[in-house]
C-alpha cells in the first residue's frame, strides 16, 4: 500500500465495491462518489493522485463535465464506460485521460493501468473532436473485438504517425481510415484515397506524385498528384500490398525525406500529409517473399490497426443491419424490419464478404422483400441467390458437419494410430478455450468460471495445448 489517493466516480454500487476491493492495496486513501455534484464538492476540499470516472452519471456526463471541475491538470484520469463507441474513446482522449477502459473491463487491466497512471504524469490533452460530428465516425458496433480498434484510433488523435490498417476484404478499412482522419490533427484538411490495385502499373507514380505537361504520351497539361491534392490532410493508400516494387522504392524515399517531384519535373515539393495505408494481404509474407520492401513496411507499420472479420463480432450484426436500413431509407429504399428468426439466421451466417457483404444483402432485402417485416424465406432466397456457396447452419450443426468431414478424411488414411479421439478433442477444446479467453480479454479466472472448471485445470490445459492466453 502507498500513500496515494484515488477518487472513484461511479454510480453503480456493485461496480464501485468491486473496484474498491481490487484497488485496496494500490493506494492509501480510496474515496468514492456517485454523481458529478458529489465529485465537484469532494474536489473543492481534496486533491487526488488519480481519478477513475464513469461517463453516464445521474446528473451529467463524467467526461464533458470534468474540465470545469477544478481538477489539477497533472492528475491522471482513467475513464470507464459502457458507452463503447469510438466517439466515447475520442472524447476520453480529448480531455487528456490516461486510459479508457470499456465496460465490462478486466480487473487485471484496471490494476495495471492504475499502477502505471500513479507512476507518471498524464499526457497532454488531445484536440477534441468537432462538435456535432457523427457518433463513432461511421463505425458501428460495440463488440469486444472492436474496442481495441476504437482505443487505438482515439490514441492517434494527438499525433501524425503513419497507420497501417489490416483486415479481410469488406471489414471497413476505409471507414477506419476516414475515422483516423476525422479525429486527428489534420481533420480540417482533405482526405484523399487511392486504390493501388485499381491503378495501371505504369501510371501509379503519375497518380501519386503528379506529372508535368509533356512528361509522357498523353500528358497534355500539368496534373497534380495525390500527395499534392492531400496537402495538409490525409493520404489513404488502399491495397498497399499490391503496389509494384519500383513504385515502393519511390514512396519510401518520399516518406524518408518528406519531399518528392512530379513525373517530368525537377522542383522538389514538400509532402505535407499523414499517410494511412491498408491491405487485406499478409504483409509479412509479402516481405518474406520479396514482393514488398521490408524498410517500407516498417515505415508504414508504425501504428497497426487490425480489423476483426464480421464472424468474430456477431453481436454487432443487429446494429449493423439497423445502420444499413437507416442508410437505405435515407437513400429512398423501403423501410424494413426483421423477424427474430430472420435476424438469427443472419447472425449465424459466416459473412465471407464481411460488413460489405452484409450491407449489400440488407439493400437487396429492402428492395426484394414483399412485406415490411423481412422473414426467414426472404433471407434464404437472397443468400442463396448471392452465389456465395456458404450454407447457413446452426452452430451445433456446423460443428457436426465439420467433425464428420474431418473424421472421414482421417479414417481414409492408410494406417490408424489410435489417436483420432485424442486429436479431435484437442482441436475442439483448443478452439473453445481460445474463444472464451478472447471474450473475457485473457482473464483466466473469469474464463475458468465460464467453462465450469477451476483455474489450475485451465492453466494445465493451456500448457498442454500450447496456448498463450495473452495471444489469442
Amino acid at each position: 500500500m502507498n500513500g496515494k489517493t484515488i477518487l472513484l466516480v461511479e454510480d453503480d454500487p456493485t461496480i464501485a465495491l468491486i473496484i474498491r476491493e481490487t484497488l485496496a492495496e494500490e493506494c492509501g486513501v480510496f474515496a468514492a462518489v456517485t454523481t458529478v455534484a458529489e465529485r465537484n464538492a469532494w474536489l473543492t476540499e481534496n486533491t487526488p493522485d488519480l481519478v477513475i470516472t464513469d461517463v453516464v452519471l445521474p446528473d451529467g456526463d463524467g467526461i464533458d463535465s470534468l474540465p470545469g471541475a477544478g481538477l489539477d491538470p497533472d492528475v491522471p484520469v482513467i475513464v470507464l464506460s459502457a458507452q463503447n463507441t469510438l466517439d466515447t474513446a475520442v472524447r476520453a482522449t480529448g480531455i487528456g485521460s490516461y486510459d479508457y477502459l470499456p465496460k465490462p473491463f478486466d480487473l487485471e487491466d484496471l490494476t495495471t493501468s492504475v499502477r502505471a497512471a500513479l507512476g507518471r504524469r498524464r499526457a497532454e490533452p488531445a484536440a477534441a473532436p468537432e462538435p456535432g460530428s457523427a457518433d463513432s465516425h461511421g463505425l458501428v458496433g460495440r463488440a469486444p473485438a472492436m474496442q481495441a480498434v476504437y482505443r487505438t484510433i482515439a490514441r492517434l488523435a494527438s499525433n501524425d504517425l503513419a497507420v497501417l490498417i489490416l483486415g479481410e476484404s469488406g471489414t471497413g478499412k476505409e471507414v477506419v481510415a476516414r475515422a483516423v482522419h476525422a479525429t486527428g490533427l489534420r481533420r480540417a484538411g482533405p482526405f484523399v484515397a487511392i486504390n493501388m490495385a485499381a491503378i495501371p502499373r505504369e501510371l501509379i507514380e503519375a497518380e501519386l506524385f503528379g506529372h508535368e505537361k509533356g512528361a509522357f504520351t498523353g500528358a497534355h497539361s500539368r496534373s497534380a498528384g495525390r500527395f499534392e491534392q492531400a496537402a495538409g490532410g490525409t493520404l489513404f493508400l488502399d491495397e498497399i500490398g499490391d503496389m509494384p516494387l519500383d513504385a515502393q522504392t519511390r514512396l519510401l524515399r518520399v516518406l524518408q525525406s518528406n519531399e518528392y517531384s512530379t513525373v517530368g519535373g525537377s522542383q522538389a515539393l514538400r509532402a505535407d500529409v499523414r499517410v494511412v495505408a491498408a491491405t487485406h494481404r499478409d504483409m509479412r509474407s509479402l516481405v518474406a517473399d520479396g514482393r514488398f520492401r521490408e524498410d517500407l513496411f516498417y515505415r508504414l507499420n508504425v501504428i497497426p490497426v487490425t480489423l476483426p472479420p464480421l464472424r468474430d463480432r456477431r453481436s454487432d450484426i443487429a446494429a449493423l443491419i439497423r445502420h444499413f436500413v437507416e442508410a437505405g431509407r435515407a437513400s429512398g429504399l423501403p423501410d424494413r424490419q426483421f423477424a427474430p428468426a430472420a435476424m438469427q439466421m443472419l447472425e449465424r451466417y459466416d459473412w465471407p464478404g464481411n460488413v460489405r457483404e452484409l450491407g449489400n444483402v440488407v439493400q437487396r432485402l429492402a428492395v426484394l422483400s414483399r412485406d415490411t417485416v423481412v422473414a426467414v424465406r426472404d433471407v434464404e432466397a437472397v443468400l442463396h441467390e448471392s452465389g456465395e456457396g456458404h450454407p447457413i447452419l446452426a452452430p451445433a450443426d456446423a460443428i457436426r458437419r465439420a467433425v464428420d468431414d474431418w473424421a472421414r478424411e482421417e479414417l481414409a488414411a492408410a494406417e490408424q494410430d489410435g489417436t483420432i479421439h485424442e486429436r479431435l478433442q484437442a482441436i475442439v477444446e483448443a478452439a473453445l478455450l481460445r474463444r472464451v479467453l478472447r471474450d473475457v480479454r485473457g482473464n483466466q479466472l473469469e474464463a475458468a468460471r465460464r467453462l465450469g472448471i477451476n483455474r489450475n485445470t485451465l492453466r494445465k490445459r493451456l500448457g498442454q495445448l500450447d496456448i498463450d492466453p495473452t495471444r489469442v
Side-chain angles (χ1 to χ4, degrees):
M1 182 181 292
N2 57 48
K4 300 295 181 70
T5 298
I6 295 177
L7 172 63
L8 173 67
V9 189
E10 170 61 68
D11 63 322
D12 186 315
T14 301
I15 293 177
L17 177 61
I18 292 173
I19 293 176
R20 178 188 290 272
E21 293 297 321
T22 301
L23 302 180
E25 297 183 0
E26 305 300 328
C27 61
V29 177
F30 187 95
V33 297
T34 59
T35 66
V36 170
E38 291 177 1
R39 178 201 67 194
N40 292 347
W42 189 93
L43 288 173
T44 61
E45 303 291 336
N46 306 274
T47 301
D49 296 291
L50 170 66
V51 173
I52 304 173
T53 182
D54 193 7
V55 176
V56 179
L57 298 168
D59 58 344
D61 186 292
I63 294 177
D64 292 345
S65 63
L66 197 56
L71 182 67
D72 186 316
D74 287 333
V75 175
V77 177
I78 296 175
V79 175
L80 313 174
S81 178
Q83 301 283 312
N84 299 338
T85 65
L86 174 58
D87 182 67
T88 305
V90 170
R91 289 198 299 125
T93 303
I95 63 166
S97 64
Y98 179 81
D99 203 356
Y100 162 72
L101 298 177
K103 295 179 179 179
F105 51 85
D106 189 316
L107 291 174
E108 292 180 6
D109 288 346
L110 175 62
T111 302
T112 299
S113 184
V114 166
R115 288 173 181 168
L118 288 174
R120 57 185 289 190
R121 299 164 70 90
R122 76 174 179 177
E124 289 298 317
E130 293 291 337
S133 59
D135 183 48
S136 294
H137 302 277
L139 289 166
V140 177
R142 301 186 179 187
M146 289 298 293
Q147 295 309 311
V149 175
Y150 293 161
R151 293 175 71 186
T152 301
I153 294 173
R155 288 169 178 171
L156 288 166
S158 61
N159 59 68
D160 246 357
L161 297 175
V163 181
L164 180 61
I165 306 171
L166 305 169
E168 296 178 6
S169 294
T171 49
K173 294 187 286 294
E174 183 167 347
V175 177
V176 170
R178 290 183 180 276
V180 170
H181 171 73
T183 58
L185 300 174
R186 294 174 174 265
R187 60 183 175 274
F191 177 89
V192 176
I194 179 172
N195 189 317
M196 295 292 103
I199 306 298
R201 180 188 187 93
E202 64 275 9
L203 296 179
I204 284 183
E205 291 195 22
E207 286 287 336
L208 283 174
F209 309 115
H211 62 77
E212 299 299 322
K213 180 179 179 180
F216 51 84
T217 302
H220 301 299
S221 61
R222 184 186 187 278
S223 177
R226 303 304 172 93
F227 268 90
E228 187 174 343
Q229 295 169 12
T234 299
L235 178 61
F236 176 48
L237 305 176
D238 199 7
E239 297 303 346
I240 191 69
D242 292 300
M243 191 178 207
L245 278 170
D246 49 355
Q248 292 177 30
T249 300
R250 187 162 184 195
L251 176 60
L252 176 64
R253 287 200 299 267
V254 174
L255 296 181
Q256 289 174 331
S257 66
N258 286 324
E259 288 187 346
Y260 67 97
S261 59
T262 60
V263 176
S266 57
Q267 181 180 0
L269 304 175
R270 183 169 178 267
D272 180 22
V273 301
R274 176 184 208 158
V275 173
V276 178
T279 183
H280 71 282
R281 297 184 178 275
D282 183 340
M283 292 296 289
R284 295 189 183 277
S285 294
L286 292 179
V287 170
D289 294 342
R291 289 181 290 165
F292 200 89
R293 292 189 59 123
E294 184 176 24
D295 43 8
L296 177 57
F297 169 67
Y298 288 118
R299 279 279 177 179
L300 296 171
N301 193 41
V302 178
I303 304 293
V305 179
T306 302
L307 296 187
L310 188 52
R311 61 184 174 275
D312 284 351
R313 45 180 295 222
R314 295 181 188 274
S315 61
D316 286 338
I317 288 178
L320 286 163
I321 289 173
R322 288 193 296 271
H323 169 75
F324 289 128
V325 168
E326 292 172 2
R329 186 171 63 242
S331 301
L333 295 180
D335 193 6
R336 291 287 184 256
Q337 296 178 346
F338 286 75
M343 184 68 76
Q344 291 171 7
M345 179 173 288
L346 291 169
E347 290 175 337
R348 292 200 303 265
Y349 186 61
D350 264 351
W351 299 110
N354 293 296
V355 178
R356 182 187 296 122
E357 182 188 5
L358 175 62
N360 292 338
V361 166
V362 171
Q363 288 182 335
R364 289 202 293 273
L365 287 168
V367 173
L368 300 177
S369 298
R370 297 177 180 177
D371 300 321
T372 302
V373 178
V374 176
V376 167
R377 64 178 181 276
D378 301 317
V379 174
E380 289 177 335
V382 167
L383 289 180
H384 291 162
E385 287 174 1
S386 70
E388 295 290 349
H390 294 263
I392 305 167
L393 298 174
D397 292 333
I399 292 172
R400 281 190 284 269
R401 176 174 293 186
V403 170
D404 184 73
D405 291 342
W406 180 85
R408 187 189 316 114
E409 293 183 7
E410 293 297 312
L411 293 171
E415 183 177 346
Q416 300 298 320
D417 58 6
T419 64
I420 186 170
H421 180 270
E422 179 183 348
R423 287 186 287 120
L424 176 61
Q425 183 179 16
I427 292 170
V428 175
E429 186 177 5
L432 174 62
L433 295 183
R434 287 191 176 95
R435 165 49 59 194
V436 174
L437 286 167
R438 281 197 296 270
D439 283 357
V440 300
R441 299 172 65 196
N443 186 329
Q444 294 183 45
L445 188 61
E446 176 62 15
R449 187 190 68 79
R450 294 192 184 188
L451 290 164
I453 60 178
N454 65 54
R455 190 173 184 178
N456 289 335
T457 300
L458 173 61
R459 286 179 170 173
K460 180 180 178 181
R461 290 304 292 155
L462 291 175
Q464 292 171 337
L465 295 170
D466 195 24
I467 297 174
D468 182 349
T470 66
R471 304 183 67 179
V472 295

